[in-house]
Amino acid sequence: MTPSPLPDRLDIYLAVAALLLAIGIFGLLRRRTLIGMLISGELIFSGASLNLMAFNRFKAPDPTVGQIFVLFIMGLAAAEIAIALSIIIAVYRNYRSVKTQDLAELNG
Amino acid sequence: MIVGAIFLLCVATTVVGALIAALTARIIRSVCGLAICCIGLAGLYYFLHSPFLALMEILIYVGAVCVTIIFAVMLAEPDEPVSEENPGSTVLWGGVALLVSVAIFWGLWHLGTHQNLAAPATRLTDGSVKAIGYSLLTAYSMAFELISLALLIAIIGALAIARTGRTKP
């Protein structure tokens, strides 16, 4: 049995998605500003979408389902970005900073 | 042969863009890394037989999300402070992230290869844009309407939140 060509293998897509998830979690933990954390969250969204699309391509009987799911994820990510950025701008107006260490007023 | 090369290029673009997005100190470079990552991801979607999603990925992420983030970067000045933490914590967090993602990857890979999830013999639809449109307006019409409602509320909420405090000095 010859190995299938590279773009037709499920595990490569899963590995790329896992890498995106790892980089996203790492950035989310390491970043010190709100916008940096938001960008890392987008990477995690992208990893989830890639997983969905990979399984949709190779295992799903109806290939439109995964595409519609990923479209909905993109829409929700866009809504999340809009809300989060407006919150970040409001926070910056009040605190003159978006560094997470300065936003510690609720710290017990 | 050349298809494999282009595929590897897309994978490399995705991973390198994500690394740039997570590791650089300047936020504006991080946004550019996110854009590069999304372009590579669009190529991967194309290889997954979905040119429509490739187009949408570029349109929404590169065209809308990155531009919006750049506007926020220009409004707030979010440059990273000089990191004073020791490199040990960086290694620890990288280890945690790798652990989580390897666990999830192993679970999904096991699900995809070892369970009886055989590739379907026949596809119900061809997955074209036409089929997506039919599905969106028949089976998923409720979710479609709800997501438009969510986007509308997000727009109004973003306007309302970002507007408060504008008159303050």
Side-chain angles (χ1 to χ4, degrees):
Chain A
M1 174 181 162
T2 59
S4 51
L6 279 182
D8 292 336
R9 291 179 54 185
L10 175 65
D11 46 359
I12 292 183
Y13 294 101
L14 293 184
V16 174
L19 262 177
L20 281 178
L21 174 69
I23 296 170
I25 293 176
F26 179 68
L28 203 61
L29 292 171
R30 185 179 161 276
R31 283 285 179 198
R32 287 280 172 268
T33 62
L34 292 178
I35 295 183
M37 293 168 75
L38 196 65
I39 292 172
S40 303
E42 286 305 305
L43 291 180
I44 297 178
F45 267 120
S46 304
S49 305
L50 190 57
N51 269 335
L52 272 175
M53 274 305 293
F55 273 98
N56 177 56
R57 154 83 171 82
F58 293 106
K59 303 290 180 190
D62 186 358
T64 60
V65 178
Q67 301 187 41
I68 289 172
F69 238 91
V70 174
L71 271 182
F72 286 164
I73 291 178
M74 282 182 194
L76 284 180
E80 176 240 348
I81 281 282
I83 290 285
L85 284 179
S86 66
I87 290 176
I88 287 171
I89 288 173
V91 163
Y92 181 75
R93 275 211 197 96
N94 285 327
Y95 290 84
R96 290 285 133 199
S97 161
V98 289
K99 299 183 179 66
T100 47
Q101 282 173 338
D102 298 342
L103 310 174
E105 219 158 78
L106 287 179
N107 203 350
Chain B
M1 189 62 198
I2 192 159
V3 174
I6 294 175
F7 177 73
L8 285 181
L9 183 70
C10 287
V11 170
T13 310
T14 309
V15 174
V16 168
L19 283 174
I20 292 173
L23 294 180
T24 49
R26 304 288 298 269
I27 290 291
I28 195 76
R29 291 179 192 163
S30 178
V31 180
C32 292
L34 181 66
I36 293 171
C37 171
C38 287
I39 290 174
L41 209 60
L44 286 185
Y45 285 155
Y46 193 84
F47 275 108
L48 285 168
H49 294 194
S50 177
F52 177 62
L53 270 189
L55 178 68
M56 279 297 149
E57 177 83 19
I58 290 182
L59 203 65
I60 295 178
Y61 274 91
V62 183
V65 168
C66 286
V67 172
T68 320
I69 295 178
I70 285 175
F71 271 110
V73 169
M74 288 192 286
L75 284 174
E77 295 135 23
D79 267 339
E80 293 269 316
V82 183
S83 73
E84 60 269 6
E85 80 245 29
N86 50 344
S89 63
T90 303
V91 172
L92 175 71
W93 289 335
V96 168
L98 267 184
L99 194 70
V100 171
S101 68
V102 163
I104 291 180
F105 167 71
W106 186 83
L108 285 177
W109 176 77
H110 195 269
L111 188 72
T113 53
H114 288 78
Q115 302 300 111
N116 274 330
L117 276 177
T122 57
R123 296 295 176 105
L124 295 179
T125 57
D126 54 353
S128 61
V129 181
K130 196 175 174 186
I132 295 174
Y134 274 126
S135 294
L136 271 180
L137 291 181
T138 55
Y140 301 97
S141 57
M142 185 69 187
F144 186 66
E145 295 299 325
L146 282 180
I147 211 131
S148 61
L149 197 64
L151 279 170
L152 177 69
I153 294 174
I155 292 169
I156 297 173
L159 285 176
I161 292 173
R163 198 183 167 281
T164 56
R166 270 185 91 168
T167 53
K168 279 185 192 170

